[in-house]
Amino acid sequence: MTEPHIGQGDRAARHTDFGRLIRDEATDTVVCHVCGRAFRALGAHVRVHDMTASEYREEFGLLRTRALSARSLSQERSRARRAGYRASTEAQERFAAGRAMARSGELNRRRWNRADGQPETDESRRVRQESLTSGRRTQARTAGARTAAALRAEGFADLGQALRTVYVDRQLGIEDTARVLAVGKRRLRQLLTEHGIAIRPSGQNSDAGRLARVQLNDRAAAERVGVEDITVWLRERTAAGATLRDLAAATGRSVPWVAARIGRR
C-alpha cells in the first residue's frame, strides 16, 4: 500500500528538513522524507509512495533540478555525461547556446528571476538567501582586509585615529579620505557618523585640505613611477627629453599638473 501525499500542515509537523535534501554522509546515501529510509538513488524509490521524482521535489520544497542521489552516484553520472559530451560533436553544437548563456551569466539570472513563471521552491529560496549572505560576507571581509592594509601603510593604530587624522586634522574631503583609507564614499560617511565625526558640507574646503590633497596626489604619482620625489623625477625626465604628454601618461596625471610641478622652484 502506498503512502498518500502529505498535506502542508502535516508536512511541517512531521518533516523538519522540508526544503532540504537529507543526506547520510557516513553511508553516502540520501534519506527519504516520507519513510526515513536511505538510498543511493531516491528517484526510483519514491514511486512506492505514489510520487514521481518531480512530484517528490515539489512536495518537499526542493529545487526542480536537485539530483535525488548520493554524491558519489551524482559524480559518476556527471563524469559519464561529460565524457559523452566531449565525444559528441552533435551534442556540443546542440548545447552551444546554453554554454554561451552560462558564460554570460544569463542562466543564473533566469534561475533567480524564475523567468518560467513557476513559483520559487523553499530550497531555491534558501539557496538564494545563503548565496547572497555568503557574498555579502565575502565582500565585507575583502573590504575589511583592504582597509586594514591601508591603515598599516599609513601608520595608523586604528580606524578612529585614521578618520580623525585624515578627515578632521588634514581636512581632506570625502573622496580623498575614502581613497587614503581604501573604503567607498558611502561606507566612509557611515564610519564618520559611527565615530561621532561631523561630515562637512559639500564644497567646504580649507587651506590645510587643499595642501593635503596636493601632497596626496604628488605621493600617488611618485608611487606610480617608483620614486621618492616626483618633482625631481619630472625635471630629470624633462632634461632627458621626455615630453609633457609622456610624463602625464607615466604619472597618471594631466599635462597641466606635470607642467605646474616642473615649473616649481
Side-chain angles (χ1 to χ4, degrees):
M1 179 176 179
T2 59
E3 182 170 331
H5 288 201
I6 301 169
Q8 182 70 32
D10 293 338
R11 179 174 57 194
R14 295 176 56 184
H15 299 276
T16 57
D17 286 287
F18 180 78
R20 185 186 301 272
L21 188 64
I22 311 169
R23 294 186 182 277
D24 185 336
E25 301 295 348
T27 59
D28 189 26
T29 55
V30 287
V31 180
C32 177
H33 286 75
V34 180
C35 64
R37 295 166 62 195
F39 302 86
R40 286 198 77 209
L42 197 58
H45 161 73
V46 298
R47 295 172 189 164
V48 305
H49 300 301
D50 195 26
M51 291 189 225
T52 64
S54 296
E55 289 170 341
Y56 181 88
R57 294 186 185 97
E58 181 178 358
E59 187 75 39
F60 295 102
L62 303 177
L63 290 169
R64 291 185 301 152
T65 55
R66 171 64 65 204
L68 303 178
S69 55
R71 296 189 194 280
S72 60
L73 183 57
S74 295
Q75 291 168 357
E76 290 170 11
R77 290 172 174 172
S78 179
R79 284 193 293 269
R81 285 194 295 269
R82 286 198 298 270
Y85 174 81
R86 287 193 294 267
S88 173
T89 301
E90 180 183 352
Q92 294 174 26
E93 293 175 350
R94 187 165 63 249
F95 293 109
R99 291 180 60 194
M101 290 173 66
R103 285 194 297 268
S104 68
E106 179 62 23
L107 282 182
N108 196 47
R109 285 191 292 273
R110 292 191 180 189
R111 174 189 179 193
W112 297 127
N113 292 337
R114 306 298 296 172
D116 56 7
Q118 295 296 319
E120 187 177 30
T121 66
D122 288 67
E123 186 182 21
S124 65
R125 188 179 301 109
R126 176 180 58 79
V127 170
R128 175 167 56 84
Q129 186 58 51
E130 289 176 353
S131 177
L132 289 172
T133 301
S134 176
R136 292 189 184 107
R137 287 173 179 167
T138 299
Q139 289 178 342
R141 284 195 300 270
T142 301
R146 188 167 56 245
T147 300
L151 295 182
R152 289 194 298 271
E154 295 290 334
F156 294 120
D158 56 56
L159 184 57
Q161 178 197 23
L163 290 170
R164 286 185 290 273
T165 300
V166 178
Y167 186 73
V168 179
D169 298 340
R170 297 181 187 171
Q171 289 286 295
L172 289 189
I174 288 291
E175 184 172 346
D176 291 325
T177 301
R179 185 164 65 249
V180 171
L181 303 185
V183 297
K185 290 187 287 186
R186 180 178 179 182
R187 178 57 179 159
L188 174 61
R189 290 188 176 91
Q190 293 174 341
L191 291 171
L192 289 170
T193 300
E194 290 172 6
H195 285 78
I197 300 174
I199 299 176
R200 297 189 300 273
S202 178
Q204 179 177 317
N205 294 312
S206 66
D207 292 340
R210 282 189 287 270
L211 176 60
R213 281 192 291 277
V214 169
Q215 294 172 341
L216 179 65
N217 289 333
D218 286 1
R219 186 172 62 181
E223 290 176 352
R224 179 169 178 144
V225 296
V227 298
E228 290 293 330
D229 191 318
I230 190 62
T231 300
V232 171
W233 182 84
L234 288 170
R235 290 173 180 170
E236 289 176 348
R237 295 294 297 152
T238 301
T243 66
L244 294 180
R245 190 178 298 277
D246 291 337
L247 296 174
T251 57
R253 310 303 299 179
S254 66
V255 169
W257 181 92
V258 173
R261 275 139 192 83
I262 292 175
R264 286 181 180 174
R265 293 289 184 267

